[in-house]
Amino acid sequence: MKISRSEVEHAALLARLQLTEEEMNQYTEQLNSILEHAAMLDQIDTGNVSPTAHAVQLYNVLRDDVAQPSLDQEKVLQNAPAAEQGFFRVPRIV
Amino acid sequence: MEVFNKTIDDLHTLLVEKEISCTELTRGYLKHIRQSEEKVRAFLTVTEDMALAVAAKVDKKIANQESIGILEGLPTALKDNMCTEGIKTTCGSRILRNFVPPYNATVTEKLQEAGAVLLGKLNMDEFAMGSSTENSGFFPTANPWDVERVPGGSSGGSAASVAAGEVPFSLGSDTGGSIRQPAAFCGVVGLKPTYGAVSRYGLVAFASSLDQIGPITKTVRDNALVLNAIAGHDPKDTTSVPFHKPDYTQFLENDVQGLKIGIPKEFFGRGLQPEVEKVVRQAIVTLADLGAEIEECSLPHMEYAMPTYYIIAPAECSSNLARYDGVRYGYRAEAEDMIDMFKNTRAEGFGQEVKRRIMLGTYALSSGYYDAYYLKAQKVRTLIKQDFDQVFGKYDVLVSPTAPTPAYKIGEISDPLAIYMGDVYTIPVNLAGLPAISLPAGFVGGLPVGMQLIGKHFGEGILYRTAYAFEQNTGYHREVPAWIKEVG
C-alpha cells in the first residue's frame, strides 16, 4: 500500500472535499493503484537531471508597471452566489 | 442545401458569389444541428439568436460590396471551457452550470474578429478530465460513426460536431490528447499546437503547463486556415511565446519527397490493437511511396510518460481547481461555517473523475511527498523532452497511431487506469510541449483510425505539409457517416 486510509482522509481535508465513506474507500483503492503504477519512476536515476520548469523555455515575462483598466465591480460580482454592498458575502468565519 | 460536407473554401465561395446568404447558411446549419443532435448530443448550448444577429451583419457587408475574410460568416462552435462573454461556459461541470463569463477568451475574440459565427458551446469531459466525454456533468456525446460508441475526449463534442457536419470547424483543448484522440475516434483532423503558440487566456485551466487550444476540422487545409486565425503571441498569457507566425497555408504542398520520417518503436508496443497497427503501418507505406524516407527510431523513456503525466496533471489540477470554493462564482452549497461551505460545495459540485484527480494531486503535492512524486515526475519529464530533442536532430516528423484502439462502446471501460492507457501515444507530446496532428488514416470495422504526426517546437508547417500530402493521396477525409447524408 502506497497510501493509507488516514492519508486519504488528510488529503480530502487539504482539498476541502467532503467525501462519503464509500468514496474514501474507493479513492484509497484507486489512488493506490495509480501510485503503484507511478512507482516505476523510481527505476530511473534522476540524480543529475533538472526538473522541467517550462515545456518551451521563457524567462522573466513582465509587463510595464502601469495600471490597466480591470473588470467593473458589477461584472465581477455578477456570478457571485451571494453579494452585498459591492462585496462577496460568505458564511460567518469567526 | 446540404451543409454537412462543405469545407471552409466551399462555404467562403458560396458567400462571396452570393449563391447563399450568411443568414441562410446559418439557418441551414442550425437546422442540421437540430436534426443531428437527436443522435449526437455534441452541444451544451446553442446560441441561435446571437448567431443570426452576427449573420445579418455579414450579409450587410456583402450587400455593400465589402470584401470578407476567409472565416467571415462561417459557423463554428467552441469547447465549453473557452470563455464567451454573456454565454454560459460550464466546462462540462455542475459546479459551473450557471457561470456566464464577464469576458472573452483570446481565441473567442480572435474568431469574432475573423467574423466567424458562433453557433454554440460543445460538450466535454468535466474540466477536460477524461477521454470519452462520458465524464460530462450533463450527458454523454455519441460518436457519429456509431452512436453506441464514445466520440473520445475530452473534446468529444468538438470532434463529434465536426464529424456530424454540424459545424465546419470547432476548437478543442488538449492536455494529454484531448484534441487528437477524439479527432481520431471521429475521423476528423485535430491539431495540438506547440505549447505557447495559441493563447490560453480565458481557457478554464486544468493543467497549465500542458493545456493548449487547437482547431478540429474536416480537412488539413481547413485546419491551417483556422490556426492562422487563432495562433500568435498574447500578452495576457505569460506562457504565450513571441514567435513569427507564418501563413500556415503556405505549407500545404502535396510533396513529401526527401522528408525524413522517424517511426518510434515504443509507439507500436504492447496494447496496440493489431488492426489499428495494420492501418497505421499501411499509412506509413503510403508516405514512403510518396517519397518520404522512413526509418525506425527510439524514444527510450516513453514508457515513463504515463506515470509522469498522472502525477503532473493531477498536481496542477488540484492547484487550479482550488478556486472553486463557492465564493466568487459557480455553485455554492449552504452551510453554517466557511470550511463546511467549501467542503460541501466541492463535494456536490464536482464529479467522480475530477475528485479523484484533485485527491491524487493534493496528495502528490502534500508535505513529505512533494519530492518523491511531483519533483521526481518533473525530472523524468526532462528526460522525455531530451529523447524528443535527440530524434529531432535526425528526423523532420515522427509518425505513430493516435490511439491504441478505435472508439469503444459507451460504458464499456470503467477502470480509470485502463482509460488512462488510451492516451499513451498522445501524452508524451504534451509533456514535451510539441505540436502534433491527428488525421484520418483508414477504418477498422467501420470505425475511423487516426494517425499522429509529431513535429519540433513551432514545426506546425511541416506537420501540415505531411498531413496534406497523405490526405490528398488517400481521401479518407471525404468519408461521412451514412445517416448524415439522409439528414442532409
Side-chain angles (χ1 to χ4, degrees), chain A residues 7-8 15-16 18 23 27 30 41 43-44 46 49-50 52 54-55 75 78-81 88-89, chain B residues 85 100 102 195 303-304 326-329 332 343 346-347 352 355-356 359 369 376 378-379 382 385:
Chain A
E7 285 173 312
V8 172
R16 300 289 187 261
Q18 184 69 51
E23 284 175 320
Y27 291 148
Q30 289 173 340
L41 299 183
Q43 299 165 6
I44 316 173
T46 50
V49 182
S50 309
T52 299
H54 292 283
K75 272 191 158 185
Q78 77 184 12
N79 279 286
F88 295 104
R89 194 188 157 93
Chain B
E85 186 176 352
V100 179
Y195 184 78
E303 63 172 314
Y304 302 106
V327 174
R328 287 150 299 163
Y329 42 76
R332 173 190 288 190
K343 286 164 79 176
R346 292 162 65 77
Q352 287 301 316
K355 288 188 213 176
R356 181 159 43 239
M359 288 290 292
Y369 299 101
K376 180 79 184 183
Q378 288 288 35
K379 286 180 176 177
T382 301
K385 276 181 55 152

Side-chain angles (χ1 to χ4, degrees), chain B residues 3 26 53 56 65 68 84 87 183 186 196 223 231 269 290 314 317 349 359 367 377 380 410 414 433:
Chain B
V3 293
T26 307
Q65 315 288 345
I68 58 166
T84 41
I87 302 167
C186 292
N223 209 281
L290 293 170
C317 133
M359 288 290 292
S367 169
V380 179
I410 294 171
S414 59

Side-chain angles (χ1 to χ4, degrees), chain B residues 101-153:
Chain B
Y103 66 93
N104 277 323
T106 295
V107 290
T108 308
E109 211 115 274
K110 284 186 178 256
L111 286 182
Q112 272 179 7
E113 281 163 18
V117 180
L118 183 72
L119 298 192
K121 304 296 292 288
L122 298 163
N123 200 14
M124 56 185 287
D125 286 299
E126 184 179 7
F127 285 102
M129 295 172 205
S131 310
S132 66
T133 315
E134 292 169 289
N135 292 341
S136 163
F138 303 100
F139 47 78
T141 292
N143 189 316
W145 290 92
D146 176 350
V147 293
E148 289 185 3
R149 291 176 189 269
V150 302

Side-chain angles (χ1 to χ4, degrees), chain A residues 30-69:
Chain A
Q30 289 173 340
L31 262 49
N32 268 300
S33 131
I34 296 166
L35 291 171
E36 267 159 37
H37 183 64
M40 68 189 279
L41 299 183
D42 298 336
Q43 299 165 6
I44 316 173
D45 177 9
T46 50
N48 296 316
V49 182
S50 309
T52 299
H54 292 283
V56 178
Q57 204 59 259
L58 286 173
Y59 299 93
N60 299 341
V61 180
L62 302 171
R63 67 165 171 82
D64 292 337
D65 189 13
V66 177
Q68 305 270 337

